[in-house]
Amino acid sequence: MTALPSHPPERMLEHDIAARMDRLPVTWLHGLAMLICALGMMLDTLEMAFGGVLAAVFSAPPTPVPAGELALLLAAVFLGAMLGAPLLGWWADRKGRRTALISLMLWIAAVSLAAGMLHGVVALTLCRFLSGLALGGYPPIVIAYLTDLLPPRRRGTLIFSSLSLSLLGPPAAIFLVRWLTPLQPLGLEGWRWGFLLGSAGALLSGLLFLALPESPRWLQARGRGAQAEAGCQAFERSRRLAGTPGPEATPAPRDANALASADDDRAAPAGRRWPWVAGLFSLSPWATVAFPLLTGAVLTQRGFKLDAALLIFGLSSLGPLLGTLLASTVMDRFDRRLAMAACALAMLACGAAFVFSSGTTALIVAMALFNLAISLYVTLLTVYGAELFPTRSRASATAGAWALNRTGAALGPLLLVPMLRDAGPAAMFAVVAASLVATLLLLSLAPRGRERQAVS
């Protein structure tokens, strides 16, 4: 009699949980998770957008600050993110995605409250650093969480459509400050109210995460089979969202040895994939963070008053919302690398148009399209990275690469603010263009993504 292959029951259950999650249709519980994650991302992008607001506020009368102080203020949030992202990613892989997301949202609420109440550039710089500790961890962890939960054939589309809501954050921050600056309710400057309202939103977001289950994939990967089963059943009991396709096709059954072999095939190259992902994350902030961060300063340097600079900055930030919603309908049909390369080329063209244009309309259009390319590229890159790594290390691997992104984002203002003031916008953009050319070269060599495929 042939002996059956030996394989731990927990391992079989892990594959069973993963296969059941992959077969699910998009349910109301999936929809709730996407909505709450999107709200948190909106708060994250709102806080990050405040760098551009602060650059404009503290570059214009009556509160201009020296270039060195402004550069440090703008870099502080990214210095915090550089340290916080890998620590939070490590913690999320050990304590749970949901636990990490709740904790960092409550941290953001507390520090943003302090930023809105304290006085002095030094105190504000410290608050931005402390906020960055949590802000740097949110995007990679939330995308790791959604990657765990969502059906593979629609994973990219659903993440894009969900996080499109986050694109309301930057224009909300900018127009809020522009509206409140002349009013100064309760004697507080407009930018302070932005921090105070952001604090309230972060508190609400953290509490809403309590309504969501932990990732069943993560629970099983950590050996918590009973909780994984309960979480999987919660999704199975939830009704299918109207207008969404039915369950995924059931994969062909495989024996234990085949399952183990498949896992080995996926896990083996993961370490070799990380340097490619890390390289792309390291190059991206020069175009996706540093350049948009300084557009307000570029406008004030060209003679635009603060009110006009904020109006141009705010209108240009509306571009990504509709574009990302439209892109979400086709994003799973293309190689992730090809889509990212198209975004990098668009950033090159639109950034050059912004630097060398003078008309207000041209500036708004160029920056709106640039922001659209940024929003697509950053989400694509984070999803691409999350799909390449197994559940046990997904958050920490992606957050580690994200920390390198934040390192570049921190260095960007320190290098580009003095360059902007001493040599002008064209010299500053030359650095951004060089990073985009290097990105295109790296994308041509990077591993293929896992669009429309199950993740391990």
Side-chain angles (χ1 to χ4, degrees):
M1 182 176 181
T2 304
L4 291 175
S6 173
H7 205 71
E10 294 84 359
R11 194 64 173 156
M12 293 297 295
L13 180 58
E14 178 175 344
H15 286 286
D16 182 50
I17 293 288
R20 286 160 60 190
M21 291 295 294
D22 286 343
R23 289 195 300 267
L24 285 171
V26 184
T27 69
W28 280 94
L29 189 52
H30 285 113
L32 180 63
M34 290 188 290
L35 182 63
I36 294 174
C37 288
L39 176 62
M41 186 66 87
M42 183 172 69
L43 269 298
D44 187 280
T45 58
L46 184 149
E47 288 278 350
M48 287 297 186
F50 256 90
V53 172
L54 295 175
V57 168
F58 291 107
S59 293
T63 55
V65 301
E69 290 185 25
L70 179 60
L72 188 58
L73 173 62
L74 299 181
V77 69
F78 304 111
L79 290 170
M82 179 179 67
L83 298 176
L87 292 175
L88 285 168
W90 173 85
W91 193 38
D93 274 339
R94 280 151 186 80
K95 300 297 182 182
R97 281 59 157 132
R98 191 188 72 149
T99 299
L101 291 169
I102 292 170
S103 300
L104 64 86
M105 273 292 144
L106 296 181
W107 177 267
I108 292 170
V111 179
S112 294
L113 178 62
M117 300 302 296
L118 296 177
H119 293 275
V121 174
V122 173
L124 182 58
T125 300
L126 176 60
C127 287
R128 293 294 284 167
F129 172 80
L130 294 175
S131 289
L133 293 174
L135 292 170
Y138 186 87
I141 294 173
V142 82
I143 289 185
Y145 180 62
L146 291 174
T147 300
D148 286 354
L149 298 184
L150 296 173
R153 292 183 61 189
R154 290 177 288 278
R155 185 170 54 237
T157 292
L158 292 172
I159 290 176
F160 263 82
S161 58
S162 168
L163 299 187
S164 294
L165 179 61
S166 70
L167 299 174
L168 292 172
I174 295 161
F175 286 118
L176 180 69
V177 172
R178 183 176 183 272
W179 173 52
L180 293 175
T181 294
L183 300 178
Q184 296 195 2
L186 302 179
L188 297 175
E189 297 97 322
W191 61 267
R192 292 184 183 277
W193 278 105
F195 281 120
L196 296 177
L197 294 175
S199 172
L203 176 61
L204 174 63
S205 178
L207 296 176
L208 287 174
F209 271 110
L210 293 171
L212 297 177
E214 183 54 85
S215 161
R217 288 181 195 269
W218 177 85
L219 288 167
Q220 187 56 49
R222 302 303 297 179
R224 294 157 63 174
Q227 292 171 283
E229 177 66 27
C232 186
Q233 288 182 9
F235 282 95
E236 290 172 334
R237 288 194 301 267
S238 183
R239 287 186 301 159
R240 180 168 66 92
L241 271 173
T244 60
E248 301 283 347
T250 303
R254 297 179 291 171
D255 62 26
N257 288 334
L259 290 171
S261 175
D263 275 350
D264 291 342
D265 290 341
R266 286 184 182 178
R272 295 197 296 271
R273 293 171 183 171
W274 193 84
W276 297 101
V277 176
L280 290 169
F281 271 94
S282 298
L283 288 169
S284 66
W286 297 94
T288 63
V289 178
F291 185 69
L293 191 66
L294 293 174
T295 52
V298 170
L299 292 170
T300 56
Q301 188 186 68
R302 287 184 170 184
F304 288 91
K305 294 182 179 180
L306 177 60
D307 184 67
L310 288 175
L311 177 61
I312 294 173
F313 193 34
L315 289 174
S316 68
S317 67
L318 292 172
L321 179 58
L322 179 59
T324 302
L325 284 171
L326 293 174
S328 70
T329 62
V330 298
M331 201 51 66
D332 275 331
R333 300 180 186 178
F334 298 101
D335 185 328
R336 302 274 192 246
R337 298 169 304 169
L338 180 61
M340 287 189 283
C343 291
L345 288 170
M347 283 187 271
L348 266 174
C350 296
F354 179 82
V355 167
F356 297 107
S357 297
S358 56
T360 301
T361 301
L363 290 170
I364 292 173
V365 172
M367 203 57 210
L369 294 176
F370 192 96
N371 286 335
L372 169 59
I374 288 173
S375 65
L376 296 176
Y377 183 87
V378 171
T379 306
L380 274 167
L381 178 57
T382 313
V383 173
Y384 169 78
E387 291 173 337
L388 290 180
F389 301 107
T391 298
R392 286 177 176 270
S393 61
R394 180 167 296 126
S396 54
T398 311
W402 193 265
L404 296 175
N405 173 281
R406 301 295 90 177
T407 303
L411 293 173
L414 297 175
L415 174 66
L416 296 182
V417 168
M419 185 178 290
L420 172 64
R421 292 192 174 180
D422 295 339
M428 179 194 72
F429 182 69
V431 176
V432 175
S435 73
L436 289 169
V437 171
T439 295
L440 289 167
L441 177 62
L442 196 58
L443 282 169
S444 68
L445 303 171
R448 182 178 175 84
R450 296 190 59 81
E451 58 276 1
R452 299 174 67 84
Q453 299 176 49
V455 294
S456 57

